[in-house]
Amino acid sequence: MLLDMILNKYPAQEDSLIEILLEFQDAKSSHFISEAEVKQIASYLQISEAKVCSVISFYTFFRTEQKGQHIIQVCRGVPCHVTADINIVKIIEKELGIKVDETTENKKFTLEYTSCLGLCDKAPVMRIDDKIYTNLTENKIKAILAEYRVYN
Amino acid sequence: MNSKYTLLVCDGASCKTTHKANLAAGFKKVIAEKKLGEFVSVVKTGCFGICGQGPIVKVLPDDLLYVSVKQTDIEEIVEEHIKNGNVVKRLLYTDPFTQEPVEKQKGKKIYQKQFRIALRNCGLINPEDITEYIAVRGYEALASVLADKTPIEVVELMKKSKLRGRGGGGFPTGLKWEFTAKQPGNEKYVICNADEGDPGAFMDRSVLEGDPHSVLEAMAIAGYAIGASQGYIYVRAEYPLAIHRLNIAMEQAREYGFLGKNIFSSGFDFDIDIRLGAGAFVCGEETALIHSMEGQRGEPTKKPPFPSVSGFRKKPTSVNNVETFANIPAIVLNGADWFASIGTENSKGTKVFALAGKINNIGLVEVPMGTTLREIIYDIGGGMVNNKEFKAVQSGGPSGGVIPKEHLDTPIDYESLKQIGSMMGSGGLIVLDEDDDIVQLAKFYLDFTQDESCGKCTPCRIGTKRMYEILDRLTKLEGSPDDLDILEDLAVNIKNSALCGLGQSAPNPVLSTMEYFKDEYEAYAYRKVKHTYSIITDKCIGCTKCARVCPVECISGSVKVPHVIDESLCIACGACYTACPVNAIEKP
């Protein structure tokens, strides 16, 4: 099991909780942490489930609902907001037929906002999984999404 | 690889071709013959930049350069310098002005006119290759500190340099180290705060991606000064490349013996680990950051106790920002007086600013403290995009405020920015022009803070929410003039009563915009603002460009017939205004 493998890499200390959650959620294809997994993590670290849940609910990175295979995060930093002549979110919403915080029916894409990605010199910016796309235009966004639809 | 000496042999293209023989291999061979392997390690580096005198060999920790080294000189250098500890004077680097041989490379004054201190290596070296960092005097500061200075002397040096924290607060770094060093106990920690959350700030990311070793080296110096043997870098997970580069850098530093046990044979142990942030802005606050590292909710706690007394794992901890660390090796190499000679009376050195928004040259600039905003925006930043009129610059992110035209000539330092209602923050400067709506901007920041509020204290959790609601009401033209008084009252109360720095500074964007742009607030309060775009029928040529770019499809009309905007649907995004070729669109 994926979770067992990841747990074994970390010492059974409370310190490791956030690292474990980050690595596991990233590795898991549906990118979320289920109730059963919360239980398993809590018992491994010997802390209460409530404690694990409180950490999950605190950090915006952690998700408790099933997400798409690819997570699209649109930067919500001020420079992206001020510089952009185009509304990236609206374009993606239109392309995918979903709103922010929703997942496409085929579980391929989830659309989210993210805090500033620090690439303000190349605004507007979005991130798909670990890849960052900069200086976005409507055509560029369409081409990127098309590529993900076909190849990934 | 802990040896008494490290020989850095230039492996740059110029030195390599001057003498076809492989100097590094030659040194290794002679050292092996003399059975000195345990005392000396040989390292190939990138170019030293004085190729005219190549090939170059640098000896650490002595900080001395041998130039024009030939294959036949190897024997003498190893025998005299490595074995007997005598400098081979005839091969020393000669200062081009004084014609004196220079024993220590420190004597050079090359940095005096440079204003890039924190960013000194960014873009000049390959950050994934430690030898390039070594070639620009990398790890020399650490070596010299370990060889020549006691921890107390290092703290004194920092105090004398008057370096202040670059993360926003501006607390003197030397004092922070001194407090931490004075605490009893052997278990102490150094933490590098790389949780750069201010929207519009990206200098820490650039330093980590462009010059990760300078941060590692500075952390080791901090560890030596305060008596810590473990450091952590708390970096946001939004920065995958920075994390990747840091990992490579740490691995290489360990391989070269700059991290790990018994660094430079001094008996000093120090290692560094990475901890990742998980998307909570408040974790940039040091107590919240420490809780997050401990695997808990990143909520701040009341100070005192300060982290320097009771921090990570309840042990004395010094938390410093990335840019602060990046300054430290340069201060050690060039001296405290050099650093303190740059800047203003109370703010020394330089500051990196991230220029963004409606300005021509977007990017990072590093200028001495005391430079005016006008110089930054017009001279360095290249002025406004499309020559639009400058309206204000937002500094300090969600904790700062706007600086209007009349303060463009204020010399920037920690105090002057506070005086005009903003703050240094991490150094994001977002330039706004005449088209930007100040009230909308304030609302944007409040939306950010109320969303990022950790929820621990009431003023911040509920107060910022109420402020946001008032701003929302105003911008929807549903507010009233009374709202302005309530908003201001609320802002002042939050400022006075919130628990941590983030809460206390959250109202700043509103307070400062209200001070300088009260008329815009009043326009909203008296519902005088027309907040939708409209088309001037006489000018419209029916080209359909506006209708095609409208994200909410509220523009209708057919080809060559004047178009109409449905004002009930318009979100005032301005896309049509930009797209129109004949200026037929009227702004709100």
Side-chain angles (χ1 to χ4, degrees):
Chain A
M1 272 266 296
L2 182 65
L3 184 54
D4 290 312
M5 241 173 64
I6 289 168
L7 285 176
N8 285 330
K9 280 166 58 179
Y10 291 92
Q13 287 166 0
E14 200 182 325
D15 280 17
S16 323
L17 177 60
I18 291 173
E19 313 279 303
I20 292 171
L21 292 173
L22 276 174
E23 189 177 343
F24 175 64
Q25 183 179 269
D26 201 36
K28 189 177 167 184
S29 61
S30 48
H31 303 299
F32 81 110
I33 296 151
S34 72
E35 253 183 81
E37 286 150 2
V38 167
K39 276 191 183 139
Q40 195 183 338
I41 294 168
S43 89
Y44 178 76
L45 298 177
Q46 295 185 313
I47 53 177
S48 69
E49 287 162 38
K51 175 100 215 221
V52 178
C53 289
S54 84
V55 167
I56 289 175
S57 69
F58 185 84
Y59 296 95
T60 45
F61 264 41
F62 300 130
R63 310 182 185 94
T64 49
E65 277 161 26
Q66 186 173 358
K67 297 288 162 177
Q69 181 194 349
H70 300 294
I71 296 183
I72 303 173
Q73 294 180 310
V74 177
C75 182
R76 209 185 191 182
V78 180
C80 283
H81 174 83
V82 177
T83 321
D85 278 336
I86 54 162
N87 191 326
I88 326 174
V89 165
K90 287 271 163 9
I91 294 168
I92 302 174
E93 284 183 343
K94 212 167 141 187
E95 271 297 293
L96 298 178
I98 52 170
K99 297 262 171 225
V100 175
D101 286 330
E102 289 178 357
T103 303
T104 52
E105 235 168 71
N106 61 4
K107 302 279 177 229
K108 188 112 186 179
F109 298 104
T110 297
L111 180 61
E112 291 179 350
Y113 273 120
T114 171
S115 48
C116 181
L117 292 172
L119 290 146
C120 319
D121 47 339
K122 301 182 183 75
V125 179
M126 71 172 177
R127 169 173 166 178
I128 302 183
D129 306 327
D130 255 353
K131 239 180 136 174
I132 284 166
Y133 297 91
T134 55
N135 295 326
L136 293 173
T137 59
E138 181 162 1
N139 286 338
K140 220 164 156 181
I141 294 172
K142 285 183 176 164
I144 294 163
L145 292 178
E147 200 174 304
Y148 272 86
R149 283 202 185 104
V150 178
Y151 298 108
N152 293 290
Chain B
M1 246 176 92
N2 285 307
S3 321
K4 195 168 171 206
Y5 289 107
T6 306
L7 292 180
L8 304 175
V9 182
C10 183
D11 200 32
S14 173
C15 287
K16 252 179 146 168
T17 43
T18 321
H19 279 260
K20 289 182 181 73
N22 185 336
L23 278 183
F27 271 108
K28 280 186 183 157
K29 189 169 159 248
V30 175
I31 288 161
E33 281 167 9
K34 293 184 185 287
K35 298 196 171 61
L36 293 168
E38 58 184 296
F39 296 109
V40 58
S41 48
V42 180
V43 176
K44 282 189 192 177
T45 74
C47 184
F48 285 92
I50 35 175
C51 313
Q53 304 195 43
I56 314 285
V57 175
K58 183 171 177 177
V59 185
L60 285 179
D62 296 358
D63 178 33
L64 132 182
L65 281 185
Y66 287 128
V67 297
S68 305
V69 179
K70 297 178 197 65
Q71 198 75 25
T72 45
D73 299 324
I74 293 176
E75 172 87 27
E76 186 178 345
I77 292 175
V78 174
E79 181 69 28
E80 286 300 313
H81 195 141
I82 306 298
K83 201 169 169 193
N84 303 329
N86 301 321
V87 173
V88 185
K89 290 230 164 87
R90 67 176 183 91
L91 293 171
L92 277 179
Y93 168 80
T94 318
D95 188 298
F97 300 108
T98 59
Q99 299 296 323
E100 297 278 321
V102 181
E103 256 186 62
K104 296 233 169 192
Q105 211 188 354
K106 276 177 204 160
K108 292 196 267 171
K109 294 175 179 172
I110 52 167
Y111 286 156
Q112 269 182 358
K113 285 187 179 168
Q114 264 273 23
F115 295 129
R116 283 169 82 97
I117 302 176
L119 299 175
R120 62 196 177 281
N121 297 326
C122 289
L124 300 175
I125 61 168
N126 173 2
E128 298 190 8
D129 185 351
I130 191 172
T131 58
E132 294 207 7
Y133 181 64
I134 294 168
V136 289
R137 309 180 70 194
Y139 290 103
E140 199 179 301
L142 176 63
S144 75
V145 158
L146 293 180
D148 306 332
K149 286 192 168 49
T150 63
I152 294 166
E153 285 170 345
V154 181
V155 169
E156 286 305 319
L157 177 85
M158 278 307 130
K159 277 168 71 181
K160 214 173 139 203
S161 78
K162 298 196 177 143
L163 172 66
R164 295 172 64 175
R166 297 293 192 245
F171 192 81
T173 307
L175 282 182
K176 206 179 231 185
W177 286 12
E178 187 176 41
F179 291 146
T180 321
K182 278 187 177 161
Q183 296 304 314
N186 297 324
E187 193 185 340
K188 294 178 186 179
Y189 296 98
V190 176
I191 294 176
C192 171
N193 183 345
D195 191 48
E196 184 176 52
D198 278 8
F202 51 95
M203 60 285 294
D204 293 352
R205 176 185 63 81
S206 297
V207 170
L208 293 177
E209 288 176 6
D211 193 15
H213 285 288
S214 70
V215 175
L216 302 184
E217 181 179 8
M219 287 179 73
I221 294 170
Y224 178 70
I226 67 168
S229 57
Q230 179 66 46
Y232 292 96
I233 302 173
Y234 184 90
V235 53
R236 41 196 318 241
E238 282 95 333
Y239 287 173
L241 182 62
I243 297 165
H244 174 71
R245 294 254 163 94
L246 277 172
N247 276 317
I248 294 176
M250 290 191 311
E251 203 174 298
Q252 290 179 343
R254 281 187 201 112
E255 202 179 299
Y256 278 71
F258 301 146
L259 287 178
K261 298 267 176 222
N262 197 15
I263 298 169
F264 288 114
S265 306
S266 61
F268 170 62
D269 303 340
F270 192 76
D271 213 331
I272 298 174
D273 260 335
I274 288 185
R275 289 293 165 95
L276 298 181
F281 174 70
V282 69
C283 289
E285 199 281 337
E286 55 184 4
T287 58
L289 181 148
I290 287 168
H291 293 307
S292 177
M293 282 181 51
E294 290 167 343
Q296 299 176 14
R297 290 165 72 91
E299 288 172 350
T301 37
K302 205 168 171 288
K303 294 190 276 194
F306 288 91
S308 47
V309 176
S310 171
F312 185 53
R313 296 182 179 140
K314 305 256 176 286
K315 302 293 178 198
T317 304
S318 177
V319 184
N320 299 102
N321 163 268
V322 172
E323 192 189 330
T324 313
F325 276 125
N327 275 296
I328 288 168
I331 294 174
V332 172
L333 291 175
N334 299 288
D337 294 335
W338 163 80
F339 190 79
S341 71
I342 305 163
T344 63
E345 196 186 341
N346 292 314
S347 305
K348 298 299 185 189
T350 59
K351 177 77 189 85
V352 182
F353 290 100
L355 284 180
K358 307 282 181 63
I359 188 164
N360 280 317
N361 303 336
I362 288 175
L364 292 182
V365 297
E366 184 169 353
V367 291
M369 297 279 190
T371 306
T372 66
L373 272 173
R374 190 184 298 280
E375 290 171 85
I376 296 177
I377 292 167
Y378 288 95
D379 299 344
I380 305 171
M384 307 295 292
V385 174
N386 296 334
N387 276 324
K388 293 244 169 139
E389 198 177 326
F390 171 87
K391 183 170 194 174
V393 56
Q394 212 288 342
S395 84
S399 315
V402 293
I403 303 166
K405 229 187 312 191
E406 56 260 41
H407 289 306
L408 266 180
D409 290 310
T410 310
I412 303 184
D413 65 16
Y414 291 97
E415 279 71 27
S416 69
L417 284 179
K418 250 185 211 156
Q419 255 169 24
I420 55 175
S422 186
M423 73 183 271
M424 184 75 83
S426 51
L429 290 179
I430 299 165
V431 181
L432 308 168
D433 69 17
E434 47 186 314
D435 293 343
D436 290 309
D437 183 330
I438 287 287
V439 184
Q440 292 282 1
L441 181 87
K443 180 180 142 190
F444 191 92
Y445 276 111
L446 257 291
D447 186 20
F448 179 84
T449 17
Q450 60 97 15
D451 191 44
E452 290 293 348
S453 172
C454 77
K456 186 167 177 171
C457 75
T458 324
C460 179
R461 183 184 66 239
I462 300 174
T464 57
K465 185 112 192 146
R466 292 292 99 87
M467 283 180 74
Y468 173 76
E469 284 166 3
I470 294 173
L471 289 168
D472 193 43
R473 201 153 68 215
L474 286 171
T475 53
K476 283 182 179 152
L477 297 184
E478 290 162 4
S480 71
D482 292 345
D483 280 340
L484 298 184
D485 297 333
I486 304 173
L487 189 64
E488 200 166 347
D489 244 19
L490 205 49
V492 172
N493 283 331
I494 296 170
K495 205 176 163 112
N496 293 336
S497 58
L499 175 69
C500 79
L502 292 184
Q504 288 156 12
S505 60
N508 284 353
V510 170
L511 284 172
S512 84
T513 49
M514 279 183 103
E515 183 177 347
Y516 297 117
F517 298 97
K518 191 76 184 250
D519 52 327
E520 295 197 21
Y521 279 89
E522 281 168 351
Y524 273 115
Y526 290 99
R527 305 191 190 178
K528 281 181 187 154
V529 181
K530 187 170 140 266
H531 76 318
T532 55
Y533 284 69
S534 54
I535 293 174
I536 307 164
T537 316
D538 292 351
K539 281 193 181 175
C540 180
I541 52 168
C543 71
T544 75
K545 275 188 178 152
C546 55
R548 276 182 277 151
V549 295
C550 179
V552 291
E553 296 175 354
C554 73
I555 304 180
S556 55
S558 37
V559 187
K560 295 193 178 165
V561 177
H563 283 47
V564 183
I565 294 178
D566 182 345
E567 295 189 0
S568 65
L569 294 174
C570 175
I571 55 165
C573 69
C576 52
Y577 181 81
T578 322
C580 181
V582 292
N583 296 325
I585 304 219
E586 203 176 13
K587 278 198 292 183

